[in-house]
Amino acid sequence: MGHPPLEFSDCYLDSPDFRERLKCYEQELERTNKFIKDVIKDGNALISAMRNYSSAVQKFSQTLQSFQFDFIGDTLTDDEINIAESFKEFAELLNEVENERMMMVHNASDLLIKPLENFRKEQIGFTKERKKKFEKDGERFYSLLDRHLHLSSKKKESQLQEADLQVDKERHNFFESSLDYVYQIQEVQESKKFNIVEPVLAFLHSLFISNSLTVELTQDFLPYKQQLQLSLQNTRNHFSSTREEMEELKKRMKEAPQTCKLPGQPTIEGYLYTQEKWALGISWVKYYCQYEKETKTFTMTPMDQKPGAKQQGPLDLTLKYCVRRKTESIDKRFCFDIETNERPGTITLQALSEANRRLWMEAMDGKEPIYHSPITKQEEMELNEVGFKFVRKCINIIETKGIKTEGLYRTVGSNIQVQKLLNAFFDPKCPGDIDFHNSDWDIKTITSSLKFYLRNLSEPVMTYRLHKELVSAAKSDNLDYRLGAIHSLVYKLPEKNREMLELLIRHLVNVCEHSKENLMTPSNMGVIFGPTLMRAQEDTVAAMMNIKFQNIVVEILIEHFVKIYSGPPEESTAPPVPPPRVTARRHKPITISKRLLRERTVFYTSSLDESEGDSDSFSKVRPPGEKPTIIRPPVRPPDPPCRATTSQKPEPKPDVMAGNAGEIPSSVVASRTRFFETASRKTGSSQGRLPGDES
């Protein structure tokens, strides 16, 4: 089970449970930091100590195998499982080639050490700086708050106002520091999946091609590498889409922290001070209090327990009434009284501020209710005849004129043009009266308008009601169950929603059929339309973490469109029951260590004619007793293609795989895959010739 997500709303409450969960993240951060240091140390030992190469590889492989990824949420995607298992696969490979490795490529440090060091210093180091600021601001805020709450109400009004302003300022600083720290530590926790694995992956690739005796193993490694690269890229895409949603949620939390109450939580909760009367006087004791309005349950958890004393658990009370405490009746500010069924007499409580007291009294139906200004909501779209007409027109013009456009749906149109198109089409006076063939509307404006319409529906196409069931189906280990459950749930949608979904998925299937031109695969379309067609009803970090499974649902709908929309499943009354977790997975993680071994090929130096071809040089048998000749590997393979988009397309490579000559690698995954195949082919070709043969 992974770590539970850290909700931004908990930053405002700063509850003990929040601190405990945050501590788990900090421990994991330290563990990751120590792991990265070990990898860096072992990598340097491997590069610098060639004579101890075998022992260094063994230690390095053990370090990789000992690490296990922790994750946020309760389920991993197939790609994340591949990533989580990757270090074990790497360790098996290192053990296999331990006695054959004789040479490192010159750029091993650039591929492995520097990226990990940069990640450790820039990401983990930055997170630790955030932690220091969070702890410093928290200590300063609570210290100031304790002093502030002990101020007498008899002091001058100007002094009290100045003290209030100072407390509010420190509270704001602490809240922002907490939000920044929680956001940063979760980002590092998620991004380490690819930021740690990718440098090791690149290092292993350079290690395998460094020795001519291991070219055959490099050729075996490439399919696994490409699959893992796809998993890394898919995970990176999921991370990017999730991060955008989390940034929006964080922004909303900064603007209105009180409005983001999570479902299933108490009506109000936070710290209160309680007046305790003793034989020798009166003291104020700090409690963490929770109140549930429906049941009128008031829970008090003591916080200032003395060392050595018997630990007290939470105390549940039933509220009878709540009333504001008159200022002149007590030498404390922000006080109010409550009476409960379980305790005789009145309980006097002190809130943290006047605004905090009003919130407590409003929740408890006290005598000082607070009036919230209505929250304005963005104007929503509806799934009606005009909407269907808009979607059909968009699909028609896209499939007619732009289905082969590179980066279709990924390239964003101008916001001004998108709003202009939507306002014109959904004009109440003449809805739908617009010519899409007008030169004002380019393809990216139309695709962005279609996505905007679907994302701003009052309810997503796949409905709030079925959201949890669809996500649960995507999380299943069993691929047959995934398909069967999603197939069944599609036919539980309302008729107009199912009709709209079929219309859209049919279009996305057509788009993916031209993936060679537009580079949009089912996985890419899932990343784009997952958050568009599905949306959780509540805005929480936990919901954001499920976006990757929304993407999987859309990907399954595209890949199995014919089966799903050929008709409802045979047993449409209920989706199939998921198999127990102990059963074997239908989808097994990719592996290379368990592959079938082929005959060992041998290299030697002799006169070779070009007419013999490169393939002949791999089948020569070395005479007994003759030592293999080591061919120095390339100084450095070309850099992987940049993730940033450029205006100019790269020149086609003359030595790409057969059948793909002249094609241009335009996506990150496709270009990286072609890059590794090309690098391997160049290495194999050069090693089939004499070192001095230039013909």
Side-chain angles (χ1 to χ4, degrees), residues 60-179:
F60 186 69
S61 65
Q62 291 174 358
T63 303
L64 293 180
Q65 197 164 16
S66 65
F67 184 76
Q68 180 179 359
F69 280 105
D70 284 344
F71 56 93
I72 299 176
D74 57 356
T75 310
L76 291 173
T77 65
D78 293 336
D79 291 320
E80 289 173 330
I81 292 173
N82 292 337
I83 294 174
E85 295 292 327
S86 60
F87 282 148
K88 293 182 180 179
E89 297 293 330
F90 296 158
E92 292 294 333
L93 282 174
L94 290 173
N95 289 331
E96 180 181 343
V97 300
E98 175 187 351
N99 296 325
E100 299 179 1
R101 196 64 51 221
M102 299 178 67
M103 179 175 235
M104 284 283 297
V105 292
H106 295 292
N107 63 335
S109 178
D110 293 337
L111 292 176
L112 175 69
I113 306 301
K114 290 183 180 179
L116 292 178
E117 194 66 54
N118 291 338
F119 177 76
R120 190 177 69 85
K121 291 180 180 179
E122 297 174 3
Q123 297 296 324
I124 297 181
F126 182 67
T127 304
K128 290 184 177 181
E129 292 176 4
R130 290 284 191 191
K131 177 184 177 182
K132 291 179 182 178
K133 187 175 185 300
F134 165 74
E135 292 175 343
K136 183 178 179 181
D137 290 347
E139 182 180 354
R140 183 167 57 245
F141 166 65
Y142 284 116
S143 175
L144 179 62
L145 182 62
D146 287 338
R147 295 197 306 270
H148 178 66
L149 295 175
H150 284 81
L151 287 176
S152 173
S153 60
K154 296 179 180 179
K155 288 186 174 294
K156 293 181 180 180
E157 185 64 24
S158 60
Q159 293 177 333
L160 294 177
Q161 289 180 358
E162 182 179 355
D164 289 345
L165 290 175
Q166 189 175 2
V167 169
D168 289 340
K169 180 180 178 181
E170 290 300 327
R171 180 186 291 109
H172 180 73
N173 291 339
F174 174 57
F175 180 49
E176 284 202 344
S177 298
S178 180
L179 277 175

Side-chain angles (χ1 to χ4, degrees), residues 278-413:
W278 308 97
L280 299 179
I282 297 175
S283 64
W284 290 85
V285 182
K286 186 178 181 181
Y287 286 83
Y288 188 79
C289 302
Q290 298 173 309
Y291 178 67
E292 182 59 52
K293 191 170 185 176
E294 293 182 0
T295 60
K296 291 190 174 183
T297 302
F298 184 65
T299 304
M300 302 173 63
T301 304
M303 302 303 300
D304 292 341
Q305 298 184 3
K306 297 180 180 179
K310 184 178 179 181
Q311 299 294 317
Q312 300 180 13
L315 177 63
D316 292 331
L317 304 173
T318 304
L319 182 72
K320 293 175 65 177
Y321 72 86
C322 168
V323 63
R324 180 181 65 84
R325 186 69 178 262
K326 293 182 179 180
T327 306
E328 61 272 13
S329 66
I330 191 170
D331 189 28
K332 293 286 183 182
R333 306 172 67 206
F334 320 134
C335 293
F336 60 99
D337 295 336
I338 64 171
E339 186 171 325
T340 63
N341 294 332
E342 291 78 8
R343 270 194 178 184
T346 300
I347 302 175
T348 300
L349 301 172
Q350 183 185 25
L352 305 183
S353 65
E354 180 62 31
N356 187 240
R357 177 173 68 173
R358 289 178 181 175
L359 290 174
W360 279 100
M361 293 188 63
E362 181 193 29
M364 294 180 172
D365 295 326
K367 293 185 178 180
E368 291 186 5
I370 184 170
Y371 299 95
H372 292 292
S373 59
I375 301 174
T376 59
K377 192 173 184 181
Q378 183 182 4
E379 185 177 354
E380 295 171 333
M381 303 283 186
E382 296 297 334
L383 197 62
N384 50 25
E385 292 183 5
V386 179
F388 271 91
K389 184 177 180 181
F390 175 72
V391 172
R392 290 191 178 99
K393 278 198 169 187
C394 289
I395 291 176
N396 181 57
I397 193 67
I398 291 170
E399 294 188 353
T400 303
K401 292 188 174 182
I403 199 168
K404 295 183 180 181
T405 303
E406 182 177 325
L408 185 65
Y409 282 109
R410 177 155 285 185
T411 305
V412 182

Side-chain angles (χ1 to χ4, degrees), residues 431-464:
D433 185 14
I434 185 173
D435 182 13
F436 275 57
H437 293 273
N438 192 318
S439 59
D440 292 342
W441 317 122
D442 56 15
I443 291 299
K444 61 184 179 182
T445 299
I446 296 173
T447 56
S448 296
S449 301
L450 176 58
K451 290 188 292 183
F452 184 92
Y453 166 74
L454 295 171
R455 188 177 281 259
N456 287 275
L457 288 171
S458 57
E459 185 176 23
V461 173
M462 303 188 76
T463 71
Y464 292 130

Side-chain angles (χ1 to χ4, degrees), residues 29 255 319 452 630:
L29 188 67
E255 295 172 353
L319 182 72
F452 184 92
I630 302 301

Side-chain angles (χ1 to χ4, degrees), residues 408-688:
L408 185 65
Y409 282 109
R410 177 155 285 185
T411 305
V412 182
S414 167
N415 286 333
I416 297 176
Q417 289 295 100
V418 168
Q419 290 299 326
K420 183 179 177 181
L421 173 59
L422 291 170
N423 292 336
F425 194 94
F426 290 96
D427 186 357
K429 297 180 181 179
C430 50
D433 185 14
I434 185 173
D435 182 13
F436 275 57
H437 293 273
N438 192 318
S439 59
D440 292 342
W441 317 122
D442 56 15
I443 291 299
K444 61 184 179 182
T445 299
I446 296 173
T447 56
S448 296
S449 301
L450 176 58
K451 290 188 292 183
F452 184 92
Y453 166 74
L454 295 171
R455 188 177 281 259
N456 287 275
L457 288 171
S458 57
E459 185 176 23
V461 173
M462 303 188 76
T463 71
Y464 292 130
R465 182 175 62 88
L466 297 179
H467 180 82
K468 290 185 178 179
E469 295 181 65
L470 287 164
V471 170
S472 177
K475 290 181 177 181
S476 172
D477 290 344
N478 189 294
L479 299 184
D480 292 334
Y481 169 73
R482 282 189 204 174
L483 177 57
I486 292 174
H487 188 180
S488 176
L489 291 169
V490 164
Y491 286 87
K492 288 188 176 183
L493 289 169
E495 184 176 353
K496 64 178 182 180
N497 293 66
R498 188 167 67 250
E499 182 182 351
M500 175 61 77
L501 183 64
E502 181 178 2
L503 180 65
L504 291 168
I505 299 301
R506 186 187 302 275
H507 167 60
L508 298 184
V509 170
N510 293 337
V511 171
C512 293
E513 287 177 352
H514 296 80
S515 60
K516 289 186 178 181
E517 293 87 4
N518 58 36
L519 307 177
M520 303 309 294
T521 63
S523 176
N524 292 337
M525 301 307 294
V527 171
I528 295 172
F529 280 88
T532 303
L533 300 179
M534 295 180 64
R535 188 167 69 250
Q537 195 162 9
E538 66 279 356
D539 284 337
T540 64
V541 175
M544 304 303 174
M545 292 302 172
N546 282 332
I547 288 179
K548 54 193 175 186
F549 296 104
Q550 298 173 197
N551 304 345
I552 292 175
V553 172
V554 175
E555 188 176 344
I556 290 174
L557 290 174
I558 295 173
E559 292 179 341
H560 301 278
F561 172 78
V562 175
K563 179 177 181 179
I564 291 175
Y565 282 97
S566 61
E570 296 179 359
E571 298 179 1
S572 59
T573 56
V577 179
R581 302 287 289 188
V582 296
T583 58
R585 285 175 51 84
R586 297 291 182 88
H587 176 88
K588 296 181 180 180
I590 57 175
T591 180
I592 183 175
S593 57
K594 298 180 178 60
R595 74 192 189 286
L596 294 176
L597 298 179
R598 58 186 181 183
E599 293 183 5
R600 177 71 62 189
T601 55
V602 179
F603 303 91
Y604 74 105
T605 56
S606 62
S607 299
L608 292 177
D609 295 329
E610 285 191 8
S611 59
E612 292 179 348
D614 294 335
S615 59
D616 293 340
S617 64
F618 289 94
S619 60
K620 301 294 183 180
V621 179
R622 186 172 71 242
E626 181 178 345
K627 294 183 179 180
T629 301
I630 302 301
I631 308 296
R632 183 171 295 278
V635 175
R636 177 182 174 85
D639 291 332
C642 180
R643 193 171 277 101
T645 57
T646 57
S647 58
Q648 296 181 351
K649 297 182 179 180
E651 292 294 327
K653 303 293 183 181
D655 50 354
V656 295
M657 293 180 63
N660 292 332
E663 293 183 2
I664 301 172
S666 303
S667 70
V668 174
V669 175
S671 55
R672 285 189 175 183
T673 300
R674 192 158 300 167
F675 148 68
F676 286 124
E677 292 170 348
T678 304
S680 175
R681 192 175 302 278
K682 288 182 178 179
T683 304
S685 299
S686 63
Q687 290 167 347

